[in-house]
Amino acid sequence: MNPEIDSFMQAAIAEARQGLQEGGIPIGSVLVKDGKILGRGHNKRVQDNDPVTHAEIDCLRNAGRVGQYQDTILYSTLMPCYLCAGAVVQFGIKKVIAGESATFAGAREFMESHGVEVIDLNLNECKQLMQDFIETNPKLWNEDIGK
C-alpha cells in the first residue's frame, strides 16, 4: 500500500481487493465518523447475484443504523454512481472522498448539487485496479455500470 494514502482510503482499497479475490468487481468503500470506521464494504453484485449491492451500499448496510450522518465521510475507491450518490444524499452524508473518477465519472455533479463536498484523489492505485479488471472482464464491467 502507498503510505501517502490515508488509512481510510487504504481500508477502502483493501475492501476492493477483497471483492476482486472473491470474483467480484474491485470497488471498496468505508464510512468514517470521528476518525473511526463505522462500516466497510465492497461491490458484491457478482457474489450475491444482487445488482444493487454496490460497494457504498454494502458499506452502509454493514455500518447499520448510524442515526445522524452529517458528520460522516464516505470513502470509495471509485466515484459513486447515481444509485450510491442517491444514498449519500438521502442519508445526509456531507463529504465523499473518491479514489478516482477517470474510469467512471459517476454522479459527482448530482452530489455537489445537493450540498455534498466531493473530493477526487485521482489515485493511480485505484485507477490501475479498475483498468486491470476491465481489461480482464469487459463484459462484466459493461453489464450495468460501465456503459
Side-chain angles (χ1 to χ4, degrees):
M1 293 259 172
N2 184 338
E4 295 179 15
I5 301 172
D6 79 21
S7 63
F8 301 127
M9 185 54 73
Q10 286 180 3
I13 292 169
E15 284 292 325
R17 292 188 186 285
Q18 180 179 340
L20 184 61
Q21 288 176 346
E22 294 171 359
I25 300 168
I27 304 168
S29 182
V30 297
L31 184 68
V32 175
K33 184 173 184 174
D34 298 328
K36 294 182 181 175
I37 294 176
L38 301 179
R40 55 183 74 223
H42 52 275
N43 187 298
K44 292 182 180 171
R45 288 192 310 113
V46 174
Q47 300 92 311
D48 293 353
N49 194 33
D50 181 350
V52 297
T53 309
H54 290 200
E56 299 86 348
I57 301 301
D58 188 45
C59 173
L60 290 167
R61 283 179 175 153
N62 291 332
R65 292 179 61 222
V66 172
Q68 301 295 316
Y69 290 83
Q70 66 264 25
D71 295 326
T72 63
I73 302 170
L74 184 71
Y75 285 75
S76 182
T77 57
L78 186 66
M79 186 64 70
C81 69
Y82 281 95
L83 171 71
C84 300
V88 166
V89 170
Q90 178 68 34
F91 293 123
I93 297 168
K94 295 298 182 194
K95 187 173 188 177
V96 170
I97 300 177
E100 65 110 343
S101 65
T103 301
F104 178 73
R108 180 180 189 148
E109 289 179 9
F110 171 79
M111 290 185 287
E112 290 176 336
S113 75
H114 286 85
V116 179
E117 178 186 1
V118 181
I119 297 170
D120 182 357
L121 299 176
N122 194 31
L123 296 173
N124 288 331
E125 186 170 359
C126 293
K127 289 188 278 191
Q128 193 64 54
L129 256 176
M130 292 310 304
Q131 183 179 351
D132 292 347
F133 176 80
I134 292 166
E135 283 178 17
T136 308
N137 302 281
K139 186 176 179 183
L140 180 56
W141 172 248
N142 287 310
E143 191 174 285
D144 74 347
I145 198 168
K147 294 178 184 174

